[in-house]
Amino acid sequence: MQSHTLADGRGACAREVMVAGIRTGYLESGEGPPLLLLHGNEGTAHDWDAIAPAMAPGHRVIALHLPGFGITDPLPDARPERVAGFVWDFADTVGLGRPAVVGHSAGGLVALHAALQQPARVPRLVLIASAGLGRLIDVALVLKARTVLGDADALVRRLPGISEVSSLVLSAWYFRQPWRVPLSAWAYRFSLGHSRQFMEMSLQALRGSVGWTGQKSTVLPRLRELSMPVLVVWGALDNVIPAWQGCHALRHLPDGRLQLIPVAGHMPHLEASAEVLEALRPFVNAGSGGKEAGWARGIPSRAG
């Protein structure tokens, strides 16, 4: 493995490595059993800045910039199953043997495909407001994906001042408690709106995953193949991907748990990180030899 460390300033080591000819960026912190974090569309590894430091004591935490986002170069084929294969190439490159995997939204679908491809390598799987568990998705995303509105949005949001205004407006869509999102996260997301590559990649990924009838890819019928414990975390007030899809997924998981965050939207790990950590920490630690705690707001389920 050839890699070098970059300046970061957010408490983690920002690293860069070549994976099958693809320049790949990631954030690393802590030591111990590996924990791999996969962000969603219109995001980067910094989406986990509130989660990674809290998990670093006792874990080697890796937050990956998925292909086309952050400093990671895009893949020629951006289908979720292909990105999942890339994730395993990355894991081999940086020496992640059997990482617990956490995925949010589109990153959740990548995490699902990664677990289906190599189930023996995933001791624990966490899905946060995951894509791929049903067809229904917010109609605004359908219009953005299938009409010129997506191109217009990507263009307008790069204009001076518009990115900031757009991000504030969208906060009512993604978040239910935007005042709980750290200022550093707001500043970073504002900066992303000025990146032409980031906006174009986000739109390309959206168009690849959303059609006129909603989400194109669903792995719901294959969930019974996942024998590892799976934690599903969802903001109860998510209006991007409805929380009932997470509830429905439990009926298909051999060993599934659900943690609903009562007052949270599509990105609970940003606006309700304490509540997410309350569920995530004991679940992941149990897979590392610790004792799994109870689920105060969870709905344990085991479907045969």
Side-chain angles (χ1 to χ4, degrees), residues 1-3 15 17-19 26 28 32-36 60 62 87-99 121:
M1 177 184 71
Q2 294 183 343
S3 67
R15 303 187 188 280
V17 67
M18 295 299 294
V19 179
Y26 63 101
E28 180 172 357
L35 176 63
L36 178 60
R60 180 190 178 193
I62 302 286
V87 167
W88 285 125
D89 289 340
F90 167 78
D92 291 338
T93 301
V94 300
L96 297 181
R98 298 182 68 246
R121 290 186 66 178

Side-chain angles (χ1 to χ4, degrees), residues 30-56:
E31 295 181 356
L35 176 63
L36 178 60
L37 308 175
L38 306 177
H39 64 82
N41 193 20
E42 291 200 20
T44 72
H46 287 294
D47 284 1
W48 303 105
D49 281 353
I51 300 295
M55 297 300 297

Side-chain angles (χ1 to χ4, degrees), residues 2 40 83 94 113 117 128 138 165 193 207 220 239 247-248 269 271 296 298:
Q2 294 183 343
V83 178
V94 300
H113 278 289
Q117 288 174 8
I128 301 178
D138 188 83
V165 173
R207 286 178 166 163
L220 199 63
N239 59 7
C247 301
H248 185 58
H269 53 302
E271 68 171 321

Side-chain angles (χ1 to χ4, degrees), residues 1 21 30 49 52 95 97 119 138 142 147 154 156 158 161 163 195 197 203 206 221 254 256 270 284-285 294 299-300:
M1 177 184 71
D49 281 353
D138 188 83
V142 175
T147 72
V156 170
R158 292 201 302 270
S163 174
S195 169
Q197 175 180 317
L203 181 57
L206 181 66
L270 281 177
V284 172
N285 287 344
I299 305 175

Side-chain angles (χ1 to χ4, degrees), residues 22-33:
I22 302 293
R23 183 183 65 151
T24 304
Y26 63 101
L27 306 175
E28 180 172 357
S29 55
E31 295 181 356

Side-chain angles (χ1 to χ4, degrees), residues 174-185:
Y174 282 121
F175 305 126
R176 287 296 173 267
Q177 302 178 82
W179 56 89
R180 295 186 64 188
V181 178
L183 290 177
S184 59

Side-chain angles (χ1 to χ4, degrees), residues 232-285:
V232 179
V233 179
W234 225 288
L237 302 181
D238 189 339
N239 59 7
V240 178
I241 304 177
W244 63 257
Q245 290 187 12
C247 301
H248 185 58
L250 288 187
R251 302 169 66 117
H252 300 265
L253 288 167
D255 188 359
R257 300 147 177 79
L258 174 67
Q259 189 79 17
L260 290 176
I261 310 298
V263 187
H266 187 58
M267 303 184 75
H269 53 302
L270 281 177
E271 68 171 321
S273 58
E275 291 90 330
V276 170
L277 284 165
E278 185 180 344
L280 179 64
R281 189 181 285 113
F283 179 78
V284 172
N285 287 344

Side-chain angles (χ1 to χ4, degrees), residues 49-301:
D49 281 353
I51 300 295
M55 297 300 297
H59 293 276
R60 180 190 178 193
V61 182
I62 302 286
L64 173 63
H65 293 293
L66 288 171
F69 298 95
I71 62 171
T72 300
D73 293 333
L75 291 175
D77 184 350
R79 289 176 297 171
E81 53 269 38
R82 176 63 189 92
V83 178
F86 170 83
V87 167
W88 285 125
D89 289 340
F90 167 78
D92 291 338
T93 301
V94 300
L96 297 181
R98 298 182 68 246
V101 181
V102 180
H104 167 249
S105 195
L109 181 55
V110 172
L112 279 164
H113 278 289
L116 288 166
Q117 288 174 8
Q118 298 199 42
R121 290 186 66 178
V122 182
R124 301 243 151 180
L125 177 64
V126 181
L127 306 172
I128 301 178
S130 179
L133 299 178
R135 295 287 183 186
L136 187 63
I137 196 169
D138 188 83
V139 67
L141 287 180
V142 175
L143 294 175
K144 184 176 178 179
R146 308 319 306 173
T147 72
V148 296
L149 290 177
D151 300 286
D153 176 68
L155 178 63
V156 170
R157 285 173 64 180
R158 292 201 302 270
L159 298 176
I162 298 298
S163 174
E164 290 78 1
V165 173
S166 177
S167 294
L168 290 173
V169 171
L170 286 175
S171 69
W173 188 35
Y174 282 121
F175 305 126
R176 287 296 173 267
Q177 302 178 82
W179 56 89
R180 295 186 64 188
V181 178
L183 290 177
S184 59
W186 281 115
Y188 185 69
R189 296 188 75 80
F190 288 162
S191 69
L192 292 176
H194 296 294
S195 169
R196 177 176 180 177
Q197 175 180 317
F198 178 83
M199 296 304 298
E200 289 179 350
M201 183 64 204
S202 296
L203 181 57
Q204 178 185 336
L206 181 66
R207 286 178 166 163
S209 61
V210 176
W212 283 110
T213 58
Q215 298 184 63
K216 293 180 179 180
S217 176
T218 172
V219 297
L220 199 63
R222 299 193 61 192
L223 293 184
R224 293 186 184 277
E225 301 175 29
L226 299 175
S227 60
M228 75 287 292
V230 180
L231 172 64
V232 179
V233 179
W234 225 288
L237 302 181
D238 189 339
N239 59 7
V240 178
I241 304 177
W244 63 257
Q245 290 187 12
C247 301
H248 185 58
L250 288 187
R251 302 169 66 117
H252 300 265
L253 288 167
D255 188 359
R257 300 147 177 79
L258 174 67
Q259 189 79 17
L260 290 176
I261 310 298
V263 187
H266 187 58
M267 303 184 75
H269 53 302
L270 281 177
E271 68 171 321
S273 58
E275 291 90 330
V276 170
L277 284 165
E278 185 180 344
L280 179 64
R281 189 181 285 113
F283 179 78
V284 172
N285 287 344
S288 305
K291 183 177 180 181
E292 189 170 353
W295 303 93
R297 291 185 297 275
I299 305 175
S301 173

